[in-house]
Amino acid sequence: MTRPHVHSAAAHRQARSDFSAKRRATIVGALVNLPLALIKVLVGVIGHSQALIADGVHSAADLLSDAVVLGAVQMGMQQADHDHPYGHARMETAATSLVSLFLLITAGALAYDGIHHLATDAPSTPPTWLALAVALVSLGLKEGLFWYTLRVARQAKSQLIEANAWHHRSDALSSIAALVAIGGAMLGYPALDALGAILIGLMLAFIGLRYGWQSFRELVDTGLKADRIQVVREQIATVPGVRHMRRLRTRTMGGHDAFADVGVFVDPYVSLTEAHRISEAITSRLVRHVDEIADICVHIEPDGHADSDAAHALPLREQILPELERAWQSLPAAGSIQRVTLHYLDDVIEVEIQLPLARVPFHERDQAAFDAIAREISPIAEIRLLYGAPQRTRRHE
């Protein structure tokens, strides 16, 4: 039995709000990066600063990252469809991997450029004050953009936006390197440019590897951490009617959300509707108390049911009921049977037969006759007779 989580109207509004915030943060980043990249490259050429040109190239990489993020956020908000029954949250995961790749490539380029300058140590024209001023303005803008984007990422619980925020921070760090390199070159220490580029490259590589590893783990269906799985177990165990559980499995998606499925054992004699109600209660409790759970599939199982070849070989109702009806068709109670219920327990079947109250005086004789039938048919362990008014069935128009 399964029960998918149905998002409430409030949850949907929150998702739309998070989407708007992520899109706005990404657009703001793009609007800052585009002119900033052009200005730094142009002033770097005019002001004789290779460091500022490299910093401009870094901002251009940020612009490309913004474009990827914007597309992924847009696709990630699409509803589940036939080809993507779990939604499109993995779009953000894939984009996080791509942003991480941009970080690593940029880190390698900065480190290579720094090592190259250290190795050649060629004389160059000192940069101008204009280059120094642009590097300073870039530092302020990119640091502010970092904190703004990081705040949005944490509110929306988005690893993708957080990775992009750190990409902005890496650009701010490269602006620091450019600032130190320009100042050092103006004071006669050009090697500072190369050393700063190498240091920033290493920091940028660390960030890229961190987010790349997280997104890789998610793409290969890595589950929640052990402490969060324990929280899920504890919440399921508190639902009345749950005896124990098995095969609790989770997999993360979209950085924060997780999908789960679990087998839950209940009293084997509860009705189908009660078992379904228990599964609804499990879903409701997990959605309320475990932030990561976006969808839970609950499989209800009867406690004591054996997961064995013999249990799996038991005949279905359509196979065993005709044999039972042939066996009891000559009994006096046969024409009064109102309902037949089958209970599959371990590797046997228990049968409940509902009869009208008018047959209560004949209980001992009827029970003895049905007991004889139970002994003749091998999968049947017991036939119980219940008496009462006919159960009303609800019509569906």
Side-chain angles (χ1 to χ4, degrees), residues 249-273:
R249 298 178 295 184
T250 64
R251 54 193 178 103
T252 55
M253 183 174 291
H256 178 73
D257 291 341
F259 289 82
D261 57 85
V262 63
V264 172
F265 291 90
V266 300
D267 184 340
Y269 295 104
V270 301
S271 67
L272 176 63
T273 53

Side-chain angles (χ1 to χ4, degrees), residues 215-385:
S215 59
F216 172 78
R217 282 169 51 84
E218 185 175 323
L219 287 172
V220 296
D221 283 341
T222 301
L224 293 174
K225 294 182 179 179
D227 60 328
R228 299 306 295 164
I229 291 179
Q230 182 59 30
V231 171
V232 173
R233 289 184 178 277
E234 291 170 357
Q235 292 298 326
I236 293 175
T238 61
V239 176
V242 174
R243 292 188 173 180
H244 52 99
M245 71 195 77
R246 68 169 180 169
R247 293 178 182 171
L248 172 58
R249 298 178 295 184
T250 64
R251 54 193 178 103
T252 55
M253 183 174 291
H256 178 73
D257 291 341
F259 289 82
D261 57 85
V262 63
V264 172
F265 291 90
V266 300
D267 184 340
Y269 295 104
V270 301
S271 67
L272 176 63
T273 53
E274 183 180 354
H276 180 70
R277 181 66 192 95
I278 292 171
S279 75
E280 290 180 322
I282 292 171
T283 298
S284 177
R285 182 175 291 273
L286 289 179
V287 169
R288 287 199 312 268
H289 297 285
V290 185
D291 291 340
E292 297 91 339
I293 298 298
D295 197 353
I296 174 73
C297 179
V298 182
H299 177 70
I300 296 294
E301 302 187 42
D303 194 16
H305 178 67
D307 189 11
S308 63
D309 292 340
H312 295 163
L314 289 174
L316 297 174
R317 169 181 284 268
E318 289 75 8
Q319 297 168 314
I320 192 64
L321 188 56
E323 184 177 356
L324 289 170
E325 290 175 339
R326 285 193 297 270
W328 66 49
Q329 64 181 352
S330 61
L331 299 181
S336 302
I337 294 175
Q338 298 169 336
R339 182 181 296 275
V340 177
T341 303
L342 304 181
H343 295 283
Y344 288 81
L345 303 174
D346 202 348
D347 55 354
V348 297
I349 301 175
E350 294 182 5
V351 182
E352 288 181 350
I353 295 177
Q354 184 174 336
L355 296 169
L357 290 173
R359 291 211 60 85
V360 170
F362 310 102
H363 169 69
E364 290 186 8
R365 186 182 67 186
D366 288 343
Q367 186 65 67
F370 281 105
D371 286 344
I373 292 174
R375 289 191 293 271
E376 294 173 1
I377 302 178
S378 59
I380 306 302
E382 179 184 2
I383 298 179
R384 292 188 295 272
L385 303 183

